[in-house]
Amino acid sequence: MKYVLKIAYDGTDFCGWQEQPNGNSVQSALSKATEEAFGISAVYTASGRTDSGVHAEGQVCHVSLDVSVPPEKLADALNCRLPPSVSVLASAAAPEGFDANRSAKKKTYVYRMYNSPRRNPLKDRYSVHIKGAIDIEAMRAAARLFVGEHDFKAYCASRSQVKTTVRTVYSFDIAKEGEDIALFVCGNGFLYNMVRTMAGTVLGFAQGSVSLERVRQSLETGDRSLAGKTMPPNGLCLLDVDYGVRLF
């Protein structure tokens, strides 16, 4: 049977989603839990890879298992064998023809920051400390430039290997509550480091180091030097993956 799972994880101590020869990955944690539970090996396929240090509240993956476990109970069978930093929030039978990666239609990420004169160690695991004044309306103005279909070559890490760097961003919203700032980005797919570099670019404009013209030119030319810095991974979290159908 093919199962579909919704996973949450704290990515701090992981090398990312994908199994690595010399690293602790979320994928390998799930595979190990499956072997302990059922005595069989399994390969989990996710909606997409998350990088080292990046978190997830709503990662979706699928796995094919020859076990007699009701779909909704697979989550419990795995959770008692997974490390505390990973949890299966829900499990179900996958729809016919479902592929967690290829069937995904939209993904939503959030990048979290907090704007404070001094660092707060209780926030540093899941958000990034920003000093100095930040113009939130300026951030929103810069964010609007990313909405639509663009070539995001300037927002992709140089070692990324993809067929095309064209992506569609459906929305880029920024919320502020007290010192906490959250950047919500929804699109049909994202390149390696794309959201983190978009976050650094709108922050750069709000702090005066990047102009709107530079943002426009970065999208038109693909020149990485025109975009802002790539923000640290700990502020990034995969919130949701939309497949156009209800899975759980």
Side-chain angles (χ1 to χ4, degrees):
M1 175 185 288
K2 182 182 282 189
Y3 297 86
V4 57
L5 302 91
K6 183 178 181 180
I7 314 288
Y9 49 86
D10 179 333
T12 305
D13 299 323
F14 288 107
C15 63
W17 163 265
Q18 188 171 3
E19 192 167 347
Q20 303 288 338
N22 300 309
N24 181 31
S25 71
V26 180
Q27 187 181 39
S28 60
L30 287 163
S31 297
K32 183 179 179 181
T34 305
E35 189 166 356
E36 291 179 358
F38 308 114
I40 58 176
S41 60
V43 177
Y44 286 79
T45 300
S47 66
R49 305 173 188 176
T50 50
D51 301 327
S52 177
V54 174
H55 316 292
E57 292 184 27
Q59 175 68 282
V60 176
C61 61
H62 77 255
V63 65
S64 294
L65 298 174
D66 186 14
V67 296
S68 57
V69 177
E72 69 277 6
K73 295 296 184 181
L74 180 61
D76 298 321
L78 295 175
N79 280 338
C80 61
R81 296 168 174 86
L82 284 167
S85 51
V86 185
S87 180
V88 182
L89 302 180
S91 57
E96 185 176 353
F98 178 83
D99 184 287
N101 181 264
R102 290 192 288 267
S103 301
K105 298 185 182 302
K106 296 179 182 180
K107 295 179 184 179
T108 301
Y109 281 88
V110 61
Y111 196 92
R112 294 186 173 99
M113 314 172 183
Y114 69 98
N115 187 205
S116 170
R118 297 176 182 85
R119 186 181 64 83
N120 183 342
L122 298 182
K123 292 185 176 183
D124 283 345
R125 199 170 181 94
Y126 306 110
S127 60
V128 173
H129 177 220
I130 305 297
K131 288 183 178 181
I134 297 178
D135 185 340
I136 296 298
E137 290 307 317
M139 290 183 77
R140 290 176 176 141
R144 286 193 288 271
L145 297 181
F146 292 103
V147 177
E149 183 180 86
H150 302 284
D151 187 338
F152 285 93
K153 181 181 179 181
Y155 295 83
C156 178
S158 58
R159 62 183 180 273
S160 178
Q161 296 179 343
V162 292
K163 292 181 179 179
T164 176
T165 51
V166 174
R167 297 291 186 273
T168 299
V169 171
Y170 299 116
S171 61
F172 191 168
D173 300 315
I174 300 173
K176 185 177 188 299
E177 184 174 351
E179 65 183 22
D180 298 319
I181 302 169
L183 286 63
F184 298 91
V185 187
C186 177
N188 65 348
F190 295 94
L191 303 165
Y192 182 41
N193 283 354
M194 178 174 159
V195 176
R196 289 163 57 189
T197 308
M198 290 167 64
T201 301
V202 298
L203 176 63
F205 176 63
Q207 293 182 320
S209 61
V210 177
S211 68
L212 286 184
E213 185 56 30
R214 274 183 57 179
V215 178
R216 293 189 186 96
Q217 290 180 2
S218 70
L219 293 170
E220 292 172 0
T221 67
D223 185 345
R224 176 65 184 87
S225 67
L226 296 172
K229 65 181 180 180
T230 299
M231 299 292 286
N234 56 298
L236 186 61
C237 181
L238 174 58
L239 277 185
D240 181 67
V241 186
D242 184 357
Y243 292 90
V245 295
R246 183 173 180 176
L247 297 174
F248 307 102

